[in-house]
Amino acid sequence: MAGIHISDIEAAINFWRERSPSPDGLSLAVPLRALAEVYALLVYFHETEADEATLPAAAREAWLAWFDSTPDTPCIAICSTSQGDAVCKGCGRTFDEVQRWTEMSPGEKRVSWRRITLEGSAWRFNRYAERAL
């Protein structure tokens, strides 16, 4: 299984902080507490990824709720892999990622999203950024 990057855990925490703010400034909602425990362990052990397969059930459920609020695919309907490119100029995914996208786990999809975002060279980030909205 894929690793869930600490930045995705943090994004999910912020999602839940907005969704279920603390009524007294001290207590945390169950999903937020579950994610915070995973985040704390990552920081404590100097890790950058949590294993998707071994994520505690409550944390996985909370993370998946955040994941469901994100765009499913980086596709902007300009696919150069259909023209023989190994990496799509439009979205930045490899041919294999484009072919397997519907079979990939949420963690695997986020690994792809993170890579193409960090690279930032796909047309979705510059030339055709308006299509990514």
Side-chain angles (χ1 to χ4, degrees):
M1 281 292 194
I4 298 172
H5 196 268
I6 193 169
S7 61
D8 279 356
I9 300 291
E10 187 173 358
I13 288 171
N14 290 331
F15 168 82
W16 281 102
R17 285 179 64 200
E18 290 179 20
R19 196 171 211 201
S20 302
S22 173
D24 58 6
L26 298 173
S27 58
L28 297 175
V30 173
L32 190 51
R33 188 175 330 116
L35 289 166
E37 288 174 6
V38 171
Y39 186 85
L41 289 171
L42 288 173
V43 170
Y44 181 79
F45 288 109
H46 303 281
E47 299 286 337
T48 57
E49 293 182 344
D51 182 36
E52 181 182 15
T54 60
L55 209 58
R60 179 171 170 70
E61 190 175 309
W63 183 79
L64 284 173
W66 166 78
F67 174 80
D68 289 341
S69 74
T70 65
D72 177 55
T73 177
C75 182
I76 59 167
I78 301 175
C79 191
S80 68
T81 59
S82 62
Q83 305 300 317
D85 287 344
V87 176
C88 180
K89 291 177 181 138
C91 69
R93 291 180 293 170
T94 64
F95 178 77
D96 184 54
E97 289 169 337
V98 171
Q99 295 297 308
R100 292 186 48 248
W101 194 260
T102 58
E103 304 165 6
M104 292 169 71
S105 72
E108 290 170 327
K109 289 180 180 181
R110 287 305 302 165
V111 167
S112 295
W113 266 105
R114 178 167 169 69
R115 181 185 49 75
I116 66 170
T117 302
L118 289 173
E119 289 171 358
S121 59
W123 290 348
R124 78 175 336 274
F125 299 110
N126 47 49
R127 190 179 219 170
Y128 296 101
E130 75 279 357
R131 285 188 175 212
L133 300 175

